[in-house]
Amino acid sequence: MNPFVDEIVEKTAAAAALDKTTVRELLSVPPREEMGDYALPCFTLAKQLRKNPAAIAAELAGKIATGEQIERVEAAGPYVNFSLNRPRFIAYVLRQLAEKGGNYGSLNQGEGKTLTIDFSSPNLAKPFTIAHLRSTAIGHAIYRIHAFLGWRCIGINHPGDWGANFGQLLAAYRRWADVEKVEANPVPELVALYTRFNEELEENPALQDEARECLRQLEAGDGETRALWAFFVEEGRKEAQRIYDILDVHFDLTMGESEFANKLEEVVEPFAEKGLAVASEGALIVDLDEWDMAPCMLRTSRGTTTYHSRDLAALFYRYDTYQFDKMLYVTDVSQTLHFRQLFKAVELLGVGWSDCCAHAPFGLMSFKGEKISTRRGNMVFLEDVLDQAVELTGAIIEEKNPDLGDKESIARQVGISAVIFADLDSRRTRDVVFEWDEVLNFDGETGPYIQYTHARFCSILRRYGERVDFEVDLGGLGEDAEMRVARQLARFPACLEQACSENEPSLVATFLIELATVANKFYNELPVLSGADQGVIKARVVLVESVRIVLRTGLSLLGMKAPEEM
Ligand code: ARG
């Protein structure tokens, strides 16, 4: 943590005859800043000692001596409140920043560990959906947070380019496709065919047999079927790649389901060896009844592979290739059962690494109102959403700051990042309602607000004009507004640690909103460039620079841009 917390913990542990870990866990932040910087609630102790918590707090406060780091120890009801020596604390935090710069926040705690993360992974027979945008944004942020903390990261795109959906698309194409139309405008036409298939399926269930037959031909390697499939996949990939380019997302490995469709034997064998592969109505399954789950199906009664068997093959491949310490799948919550079945199946195999696998599910995103303009029929195409974000942001910039240079590039950086932030700012598993006015509000809890604060702090430094000298005397800092900023900066390393272990980028998003808020307050309340003592100004500029660094790092960890002007 930091020497301040260490001293509180040490002295409190001695005074209360508790072990340090317990004290550390109990230590919290008081609800109001006048109360102090840390608080020790005495309820647990009271239970143990069968005493009144307020009496214990009073007794402890009397026993704990103040010192270099701790300026005040006071009992307030059932709490002991601690106030730090402010100038010392602020100087400590800023020195850490000076030392680590853009690396501040990382303790390199992931060194030697490998994360493999499967994210985005769109289904290429269907349109690139909002769910895949979420998976892309969330997965990319989780990847970047781990990498920043020193993990070796392998970002894997595992597109759905095989299986039942392709059987359906092939069947639809053979029935209804107008070849010229498809060639002129592939993705929307294919999406329309796929949609039509699923609509007509309700009236005509026999279509499903056609789809299954197409899939069988595909798995059997029929030349014409394969060629058609290859064309569908290629078009889907191009569409996805355009979106990755817009979002500036890259993968270390792209290996779709199709590449694991011929590995069925390798999947079945280990299960068969352990007696875990059971024949059931012509199919081959791993029975998971005991865990109240439907079976994990290895092979259908038609002899084709399944989503499960392809995922198993991919998982074996990943472990063989990377020996991961954490294998994370980022998809919407609807696939929770699929991954529970998958993980249970490998656990039953007795591989040593089944506990390394985890699913990071996320909630649904819906659009409020019908404000998405679609240029391609009545479907929401992601690319159009992203284009619209840039357009709307351009209009806001035009209004707020018409003299800004390179407005187009900045509108792009802000608009796209706003959409990314909207995907990241609430807890993963919560559903999100997307509304332009909210997402693009420069004064709300939004991406543009954080970027704007970053640009504002860059502009303060530009106006300051001199090199920021981290060596100056920082002893003059200690105002409430300065202390608030320092406290928030000090929380960054722990915030990243938690975001990493919980696979929860929203913690970083919330952190940045809070930092931007206290930083703006600081700038609004205190003179920074003039109107104060030269020494104080020099010290405040160090605070400004520190805020700028952390905002920039945080934005980059979320996969967002940090323009210096906007
Ligand atoms: N293609 C799937 C979908 O579109 C997501 C795949 C997630 N990754 C995996 N290995 N199953 O929903």
Side-chain angles (χ1 to χ4, degrees):
M1 273 272 221
N2 65 51
F4 298 83
V5 173
D6 289 344
E7 189 175 326
I8 294 176
V9 168
E10 210 150 287
K11 288 185 166 172
T12 308
L18 284 173
D19 66 290
K20 290 194 211 164
T21 324
T22 314
V23 177
R24 212 173 265 276
E25 279 168 11
L26 284 175
L27 215 55
S28 61
V29 175
R32 276 179 293 125
E33 63 182 16
E34 317 80 84
M35 298 173 149
D37 299 291
Y38 292 97
L40 182 83
C42 295
F43 307 103
T44 325
L45 255 173
K47 244 190 215 149
Q48 284 173 9
L49 301 173
R50 296 168 190 276
K51 268 198 195 166
N52 164 339
I56 294 189
E59 192 183 314
L60 276 180
K63 275 203 228 165
I64 301 170
T66 55
E68 296 227 312
Q69 335 261 25
I70 312 170
E71 199 164 82
R72 201 159 45 112
V73 184
E74 266 174 3
Y79 293 89
V80 184
N81 291 336
F82 301 86
S83 301
L84 303 182
N85 177 319
R86 287 185 167 191
R88 265 179 181 274
F89 177 73
I90 298 173
Y92 168 79
V93 175
L94 299 186
R95 295 267 178 259
Q96 295 279 308
L97 259 141
E99 221 171 87
K100 304 201 80 182
N103 251 330
Y104 175 73
S106 172
L107 307 169
N108 212 21
Q109 54 270 65
E111 200 185 321
K113 287 189 276 188
T114 297
L115 166 75
T116 38
I117 178 167
D118 176 323
F119 68 104
S120 194
S121 305
N123 205 323
L124 298 183
K126 302 185 194 176
F128 198 108
T129 64
I130 305 284
H132 296 108
L133 174 68
R134 292 214 76 194
S135 174
T136 310
I138 294 171
H140 188 223
I142 295 176
Y143 176 105
R144 293 182 68 84
I145 292 166
H146 281 75
F148 186 69
L149 299 188
W151 288 66
R152 172 174 80 128
C153 296
I154 317 290
I156 303 177
N157 191 6
H158 180 78
D161 57 2
W162 203 257
N165 303 135
F166 278 88
Q168 298 182 332
L169 183 57
L170 284 162
Y173 186 92
R174 286 188 173 144
R175 265 185 171 247
W176 306 303
D178 175 336
V179 178
E180 262 169 44
K181 258 171 115 183
V182 173
E183 268 164 16
N185 198 15
V187 170
E189 289 300 325
L190 293 175
V191 165
L193 285 171
Y194 179 81
T195 312
R196 176 168 175 190
F197 184 93
N198 280 282
E199 280 162 10
E200 297 209 4
L201 187 59
E202 286 176 22
E203 248 87 282
N204 181 6
L207 282 177
Q208 200 62 281
D209 291 325
E210 281 179 42
R212 292 206 178 102
E213 177 53 23
C214 287
L215 181 59
R216 200 197 53 76
Q217 290 168 359
L218 183 64
E219 293 220 330
D222 172 67
E224 193 257 15
T225 314
R226 279 273 177 158
L228 212 46
W229 165 83
F231 163 67
F232 299 161
V233 167
E234 182 52 26
E235 291 304 326
R237 272 186 196 244
K238 278 197 255 171
E239 170 97 351
Q241 189 54 48
R242 279 209 303 278
I243 289 170
Y244 301 142
D245 289 343
I246 297 173
L247 297 173
D248 200 8
V249 169
H250 308 270
F251 298 92
D252 302 295
L253 177 74
T254 296
M255 224 171 150
E257 285 185 44
S258 64
E259 306 202 40
F260 299 99
N262 60 358
K263 302 275 186 295
L264 190 56
E265 281 323 302
E266 286 152 52
V267 169
V268 170
E269 207 183 85
F271 287 100
E273 248 169 44
K274 297 228 156 183
L276 292 164
V278 192
S280 166
E281 297 168 29
L284 199 62
I285 63 163
V286 178
D287 184 24
L288 301 176
D289 221 20
E290 205 178 308
W291 296 275
D292 280 335
M293 287 188 272
C296 175
M297 195 183 291
L298 300 176
R299 194 178 62 214
T300 68
S301 55
R302 291 167 186 260
T304 49
T305 60
T306 65
Y307 187 33
H308 271 136
S309 55
R310 294 187 294 274
D311 245 339
L312 283 165
L315 184 51
F316 295 155
Y317 172 84
R318 291 169 189 177
Y319 191 76
D320 283 346
T321 314
Y322 304 109
Q323 288 87 45
F324 49 71
D325 297 279
K326 183 164 168 180
M327 166 69 243
L328 205 59
Y329 294 85
V330 186
T331 78
D332 70 49
V333 285
S334 71
Q335 300 200 26
T336 302
L337 176 61
H338 169 77
F339 288 109
R340 282 182 53 221
Q341 293 166 315
L342 187 70
F343 302 159
K344 182 51 88 180
V346 285
E347 185 191 322
L348 292 175
L349 269 189
V351 299
W353 42 264
S354 57
D355 285 346
C356 300
C357 302
H359 180 211
F362 55 83
L364 301 180
M365 183 182 257
S366 55
F367 284 93
K368 195 165 174 183
E370 290 289 298
K371 286 190 221 146
I372 308 294
S373 68
T374 52
R375 293 190 267 281
R376 297 185 272 184
N378 57 1
M379 246 181 191
V380 177
F381 276 84
L382 256 188
E383 214 179 336
D384 297 345
V385 174
L386 296 173
D387 284 349
Q388 199 178 1
V390 176
E391 228 169 83
L392 291 170
T393 311
I396 298 174
I397 292 178
E398 196 57 62
E399 190 194 309
K400 284 195 179 243
N401 192 358
D403 301 328
L404 185 69
D406 206 2
K407 275 182 273 195
E408 229 182 272
S409 146
I410 291 178
R412 176 156 290 278
Q413 297 183 49
V414 175
I416 302 301
S417 292
V419 175
I420 295 177
F421 190 83
D423 270 299
L424 299 178
D425 77 330
S426 44
R427 288 255 162 192
R428 255 200 287 110
T429 48
R430 285 186 40 192
D431 290 347
V432 182
V433 179
F434 188 96
E435 203 181 354
W436 283 123
D437 291 346
E438 268 173 37
V439 170
L440 296 178
N441 181 355
F442 280 44
D443 303 311
E445 300 193 348
T446 62
Y449 172 66
I450 300 169
Q451 289 175 312
Y452 175 72
T453 308
H454 170 264
R456 190 181 192 199
F457 276 57
C458 287
S459 131
I460 301 171
L461 294 163
R462 275 195 303 274
R463 279 182 285 140
Y464 178 64
E466 288 169 45
R467 194 182 61 87
V468 179
D469 182 4
F470 272 94
E471 302 299 317
V472 295
D473 178 12
L474 299 168
L477 301 179
E479 300 281 348
D480 285 349
E482 292 160 342
M483 187 63 184
R484 260 178 240 132
V485 175
R487 270 194 213 109
Q488 185 64 9
L489 292 172
R491 283 183 195 127
F492 193 47
C495 162
L496 294 185
E497 166 93 50
Q498 193 186 351
C500 177
S501 67
E502 294 177 13
N503 308 312
E504 189 61 85
S506 69
L507 296 173
V508 180
T510 313
F511 171 91
L512 291 175
I513 292 288
E514 282 167 15
L515 178 59
T517 306
V518 291
N520 281 311
K521 237 177 147 189
F522 152 76
Y523 185 61
N524 295 340
E525 285 177 13
L526 297 172
V528 172
L529 290 181
S530 57
D533 172 89
Q534 266 307 305
V536 171
I537 287 189
K538 285 204 153 80
R540 283 187 184 150
V541 166
V542 174
L543 195 63
V544 169
E545 169 69 353
S546 302
V547 167
R548 183 195 69 79
I549 293 174
V550 173
L551 286 176
R552 191 186 169 83
T553 305
L555 284 167
S556 133
L557 291 179
L558 298 184
M560 296 165 66
K561 302 291 174 207
E564 296 187 358
E565 271 182 278
M566 65 185 263

